[in-house]
Amino acid sequence: VAGADETMLSVVISVLVVLISGGLLSYVRSVLRGTVAGPVQKVDLAGQTFVVTGASRGIGFSAGLVLLDWGGTVVFAVRDVAKCQRAILAATSDPDQRQRAEVVHLDLSSFASVRKFSADTFIKPARRCHCLINNAHCSGLVAQLATVDGVEHSYQVNYLSHFLLTLLLMPALATTFGEGGVGASPQQCGPSFSRPGSTGTQVAGRVVHVTSRTYALAGPVRRDAYSPSARHLGSEFYRPDKVYGDTKLMQVLFSKELTAQVSMPLSVY
């Protein structure tokens, strides 16, 4: 353990950086062969629980495999449970890793599903969550779609539901306070927003937002573009690229504000 904010959850950011920067295929292949490649040093995450949304494919699934390989328990929060289960069985034959891989249904286009997931998986059983990785996203829509809650689809999936999920899991994240951990230093992991006083082992869980450089596309946000009323959907000013960029910027701003508003030590990336 290297000090203050050096918990095992910093490793998540390093893993994501490796995957995003072009080493995804070679890194996953090395994991499946049992040899970890790349600049990230393997650490022991035994006893730590991670939640990854949108983890049935892509970066989320790959990050989940790495965390399993390093000894963590991973909750794969996905829409298609059967698809994710098949992917895990195909990716690893290790019985211990398979046992630590929990696939749970989560539909971010439904606030009711978000509430059910958090309550049934963590709050009711009083279970700890050491790291929440808000990875799932929706992009490439050619027209506005409304969710069952009457909200613009990308806005709810990319931002609002992750916002809600994070707040609902706060009690589970808070129970990890004082446990400390191991991993890379924050300097190795990229930008973070750590609440003052989050030093030594006095660190609660961590929240990771997988954002995008498309936040630069964000501009003045028109309220009617994200109205909870479906009557505005399909209007002429809808631009999928801008909507996606807006939601990525919202995640960044939420990360900063979350750190400022919560009363417990918390690291947000």
Side-chain angles (χ1 to χ4, degrees):
V1 179
D5 205 22
E6 299 180 358
T7 73
M8 73 293 152
L9 300 178
S10 292
V11 177
V12 175
I13 309 301
S14 296
V15 170
L16 293 176
V17 169
V18 172
L19 297 176
I20 295 172
S21 64
L24 189 152
L25 292 179
S26 61
Y27 190 77
V28 172
R29 288 195 191 102
S30 68
V31 169
L32 299 183
R33 295 191 192 107
T35 59
V36 179
V40 183
Q41 181 180 3
K42 183 174 181 178
V43 295
D44 184 7
L45 300 180
Q48 313 301 330
T49 300
F50 301 79
V51 175
V52 187
T53 67
S56 61
R57 61 177 182 169
I59 292 173
F61 181 69
S62 299
L65 291 182
V66 174
L67 295 171
L68 286 175
D69 184 61
W70 291 1
T73 295
V74 181
V75 177
F76 292 75
V78 300
R79 284 186 304 167
D80 192 334
V81 171
K83 175 184 175 181
C84 187
Q85 289 174 331
R86 290 194 299 269
I88 292 172
L89 292 177
T92 177
S93 60
D94 187 320
D96 180 57
Q97 290 188 22
R98 289 181 174 183
Q99 184 176 14
R100 287 184 282 104
E102 303 177 21
V103 184
V104 183
H105 179 261
L106 173 63
D107 183 356
L108 292 169
S109 67
S110 166
F111 292 140
S113 178
V114 175
R115 294 182 184 279
K116 177 175 173 56
F117 171 85
S118 60
D120 294 350
T121 311
F122 286 94
I123 305 305
K124 290 180 180 178
R127 186 180 184 186
R128 296 177 297 177
C129 176
H130 296 79
C131 180
L132 167 62
I133 305 176
N134 290 323
N135 165 76
H137 73 277
C138 173
S139 63
L141 296 181
V142 296
Q144 276 186 317
L145 299 175
T147 67
V148 294
D149 300 297
V151 180
E152 198 281 322
H153 192 274
S154 296
Y155 178 43
Q156 180 165 338
V157 171
N158 295 357
Y159 176 64
L160 282 184
S161 284
H162 280 137
F163 177 94
L164 176 62
L165 178 62
T166 301
L167 297 186
L168 291 174
L169 289 183
M170 279 297 179
L173 290 163
T175 58
T176 64
F177 178 79
E179 289 187 3
V182 295
S185 68
Q187 289 74 23
Q188 293 174 291
C189 299
S192 68
F193 308 99
S194 298
R195 184 178 178 82
S198 299
T199 59
T201 59
Q202 304 303 297
V203 178
R206 292 195 175 187
V207 177
V208 177
H209 290 118
V210 180
T211 60
S212 166
R213 289 184 179 274
T214 57
Y215 76 85
L217 297 174
V221 177
R222 293 183 56 164
R223 281 194 170 190
D224 47 359
Y226 303 111
S227 171
S229 172
R231 67 178 180 273
H232 293 289
L233 302 181
S235 53
E236 69 281 359
F237 56 78
Y238 180 77
R239 283 179 46 198
D241 57 341
K242 184 179 182 303
V243 171
Y244 185 76
D246 285 351
T247 60
K248 295 291 107 175
L249 177 61
M250 291 172 192
Q251 286 184 316
V252 174
L253 296 177
F254 174 46
S255 296
K256 298 186 68 173
E257 192 63 20
L258 179 62
T259 303
Q261 293 290 337
V262 296
S263 58
M264 65 182 187
L266 183 69
S267 290
V268 187
Y269 293 86

